[in-house]
């Protein structure tokens, strides 16, 4: 990939991220509540259909698809959840979600404050639900540019099924892919659970 190609790729990703930020920021409170409830139903269905007893998830930021009700359901129904903790060097650790208060971590993202498990703990999960800016119909996932999840996923000796959690409008026909990008197996939106061909 030449310098011009790299610049074009970076610019394309920047435009997609800006469009997604704009679209998510424009959602009204009623629309957000409806999306949260519908997304929760989809996530529960996926976990039940897969027979998953352990998953990763994340505490969503205000403009992200809202995972809060799903996290409550998982806790009340005996599904073990690991939440990510951001470490220096754009590395992830995991902490068990036990309902205790979350605290702001690096980048202002809410994280659990309990015992940290290594990134490799994700290899033992039944399912991984991960944040994304957007995904395409081939399973290419676009994150927010820091590389935490791609780095973590690339180092797992076993990779559980990966599902990006996005809004339906964030599922795009095609996104630019780079060699280090880890594709996802599907996406969960308020409208559907999508599976991507492998």
């Amino acid at each position: 990939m030449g310098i011009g190609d790299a610049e074009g790729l970076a610019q394309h990703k920047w435009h997609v991220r800006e469009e997604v930020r704009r679209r998510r920021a424009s959602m009204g409170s009623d629309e957000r509540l409806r999306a949260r409830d519908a997304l929760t139903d989809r996530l529960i269905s996926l976990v039940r259909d897969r027979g998953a007893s352990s998953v990763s998830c994340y505490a969503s930021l205000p403009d992200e698809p809202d995972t809060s009700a799903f996290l409550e359901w998982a806790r009340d129904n005996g599904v073990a959840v690991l939440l990510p903790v951001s470490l220096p060097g754009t590395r992830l650790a995991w902490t068990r979600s036990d309902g205790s208060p979350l605290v702001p971590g690096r980048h202002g993202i809410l994280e659990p404050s309990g015992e940290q498990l290594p990134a490799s703990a994700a290899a033992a999960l039944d399912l991984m639900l991960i944040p994304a800016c957007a995904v395409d119909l081939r399973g290419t996932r676009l994150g927010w540019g820091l590389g935490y999840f791609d780095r973590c996923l690339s180092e797992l000796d076993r990779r559980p099924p990966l599902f990006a959690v996005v809004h339906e409008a964030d599922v795009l026909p095609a996104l630019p892919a780079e060699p280090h990008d880890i594709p996802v197996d599907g996406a969960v939106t308020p409208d559907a659970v999508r599976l991507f061909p492998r």
Side-chain angles (χ1 to χ4, degrees), residues 4-18 142 176:
D5 293 339
E7 289 174 354
L9 186 70
Q11 188 173 40
H12 185 171
K13 289 183 174 184
W14 183 86
H15 282 294
V16 172
R17 289 178 179 124
E18 287 302 300
L142 178 64

Side-chain angles (χ1 to χ4, degrees), residues 15-25 132-134 144 169-170 172:
H15 282 294
V16 172
R17 289 178 179 124
E18 287 302 300
E19 174 62 20
V20 170
R21 283 188 182 101
R22 183 201 60 73
R23 187 168 56 241
R24 290 181 178 183
C133 167
W144 295 104
D170 305 333
L172 305 176

Side-chain angles (χ1 to χ4, degrees), residues 87-121:
L87 301 178
T90 60
R91 299 202 165 270
L92 284 183
W94 300 97
T95 297
R96 291 180 180 88
S97 173
D98 60 5
S100 56
L102 303 177
V103 297
R106 300 173 79 80
H107 317 294
I109 298 170
L110 292 177
E111 301 175 344
S113 58
E115 176 192 358
Q116 289 185 5
L117 305 173
S120 60

Side-chain angles (χ1 to χ4, degrees), residues 16-197:
V16 172
R17 289 178 179 124
E18 287 302 300
E19 174 62 20
V20 170
R21 283 188 182 101
R22 183 201 60 73
R23 187 168 56 241
R24 290 181 178 183
S26 72
M27 293 177 69
S29 56
D30 288 346
E31 185 180 5
R32 288 179 191 279
L33 285 174
R34 285 193 302 273
R36 181 201 64 194
D37 292 346
L39 177 67
T40 301
D41 290 343
R42 302 291 183 197
L43 290 169
I44 291 170
S45 293
L46 175 64
V47 168
R48 285 180 168 160
D49 290 348
R50 296 269 170 155
S53 61
S54 61
V55 304
S56 76
C57 196
Y58 60 96
S60 48
L61 292 168
D63 284 347
E64 288 183 310
D66 189 341
T67 60
S68 60
F70 169 74
L71 292 174
E72 290 178 16
W73 175 87
R75 189 168 57 250
D76 292 344
N77 287 272
V79 176
V81 178
L82 294 185
L83 297 177
V85 176
S86 303
L87 301 178
T90 60
R91 299 202 165 270
L92 284 183
W94 300 97
T95 297
R96 291 180 180 88
S97 173
D98 60 5
S100 56
L102 303 177
V103 297
R106 300 173 79 80
H107 317 294
I109 298 170
L110 292 177
E111 301 175 344
S113 58
E115 176 192 358
Q116 289 185 5
L117 305 173
S120 60
L125 296 171
D126 296 324
L127 185 66
M128 293 187 74
L129 305 171
I130 61 176
C133 167
V135 294
D136 73 12
L137 298 175
R138 300 167 300 172
T140 304
R141 171 186 171 270
L142 178 64
W144 295 104
L146 295 176
Y148 281 93
F149 280 91
D150 279 328
R151 186 167 288 105
C152 172
L153 295 171
S154 70
E155 295 173 356
L156 296 181
D157 56 9
R158 172 195 170 266
R159 198 174 297 145
L162 302 175
F163 283 79
V165 180
V166 292
H167 292 293
E168 190 67 24
D170 305 333
V171 181
L172 305 176
L175 285 167
E178 295 183 82
H180 64 265
D181 290 333
I182 306 293
V184 295
D185 300 292
V188 186
T189 79
D191 294 356
V193 174
R194 293 171 169 266
L195 296 176
F196 300 134

